[in-house]
Amino acid sequence: EGNFVTEAGLHAGLFLTGTVESCCTIVAHKRNSSSSSSDSEKDGGKVAARCLRWNRTELMNLLNQNSGLRRSLKAILSWDIVRKLKGQRQTISDHMVEDAEFWTQKRQEQSANRYAAILQNMLQNPEYFKKHKNALDHYRTIHHIDDDRHKQALKTCGWTPSEYEAGERMKDEDDGIV
C-alpha cells in the first residue's frame, strides 16, 4: 500500500516550481502475521519502506505539458486525501484515539503548518503569487485556515495582511523592503 506523504498544495492547483519546503513524518509498520508470504521472516523482521521524491520544477513542467497527466495526478492526490480522512474518522469512531480533543488540535496544527509552508513558498515567488493568489485563498477555505492562523503565517513570513491583499511587499524608499 502506498501513500502520498506531502504534495504541498498540488491537489488544490498550486503548481509551484523550484524548491518547495514541506515536512512529514513517515511511520512504517511491520506486516501482520497473516501476510501470505511471511515477508517479515524473510527480511529478518525489518520494516521496508520506500520514499520517492521528484524534482518539483521538472514535475511541474511535465504536468504543464500534459493536461491529462495533470488531471490524473490531481485526482489521485484528492482520492488519497479522502482515503486518509475516512481513515481518521474510522480511527476516532473505533475509539482508537484516547484524547480526541488533543488529536484534533494536533491535526489542526499540522494543517496550519502545511499552509504556512505553502504560503512561504508562494510569497518567495511574487509573480506566481500574484497569478495564483485565488488558488491559495481556495486552499485556505478547504483546509479551514482561519484569519488568526493566516495572520500568524503571514507574520512568520514577514508579511502583513495588507501586503498580502495588495499582492506585494511594501517598499521603503531608503532600504527597499520594510
Side-chain angles (χ1 to χ4, degrees):
E1 181 179 331
N3 291 292
F4 286 93
V5 177
T6 182
E7 42 71 40
L10 281 175
H11 75 282
L14 299 174
F15 292 96
L16 287 166
T17 58
T19 301
V20 177
E21 291 187 28
S22 187
C23 61
C24 69
T25 300
I26 299 173
V27 178
H29 297 283
K30 289 184 182 179
R31 294 181 188 196
N32 64 28
S33 58
S34 64
S35 294
S36 59
S37 63
S38 187
D39 290 333
S40 62
E41 289 177 15
K42 292 178 187 175
D43 64 12
K46 295 179 182 175
V47 178
R50 185 182 315 177
C51 184
L52 303 176
R53 184 178 84 156
W54 287 272
N55 176 295
R56 180 84 177 205
T57 299
E58 290 177 11
L59 178 60
M60 294 308 101
N61 289 340
L62 179 63
L63 295 175
N64 285 328
Q65 293 170 8
N66 188 326
S67 62
L69 181 61
R70 182 176 57 246
R71 282 190 305 275
S72 295
L73 180 61
K74 283 180 69 173
I76 290 167
L77 291 170
S78 295
W79 278 110
D80 187 59
I81 291 168
V82 168
R83 182 182 55 80
K84 289 173 183 174
L85 291 172
K86 285 182 176 180
Q88 290 173 11
R89 186 180 323 136
Q90 188 67 44
T91 298
I92 291 174
S93 67
D94 288 348
H95 306 290
M96 296 171 67
V97 174
E98 291 181 27
D99 186 346
E101 190 173 309
F102 177 74
W103 187 82
T104 299
Q105 177 187 350
K106 286 298 183 187
R107 300 297 302 159
Q108 289 171 343
E109 287 173 11
Q110 287 177 335
S111 182
N113 290 339
R114 261 187 242 109
Y115 172 72
I118 291 169
L119 178 64
Q120 178 181 359
N121 291 322
M122 287 190 71
L123 294 176
Q124 291 174 352
N125 296 280
E127 293 306 312
Y128 185 89
F129 172 66
K130 287 179 184 178
K131 289 181 185 176
H132 297 91
K133 183 180 173 295
N134 289 341
L136 184 59
D137 291 338
H138 176 69
Y139 183 94
R140 262 188 78 195
T141 301
I142 64 176
H143 290 279
H144 307 286
I145 304 298
D146 63 23
D147 289 341
D148 289 337
R149 291 196 187 262
H150 173 66
K151 287 176 185 173
Q152 181 59 43
L154 285 171
K155 184 178 180 182
T156 300
C157 296
W159 282 57
T160 66
S162 59
E163 290 173 326
Y164 177 84
E165 290 307 319
E168 62 187 343
R169 300 278 311 270
M170 301 298 174
K171 296 187 179 184
D172 183 345
E173 293 176 13
D174 297 330
D175 313 314
I177 306 245
V178 269

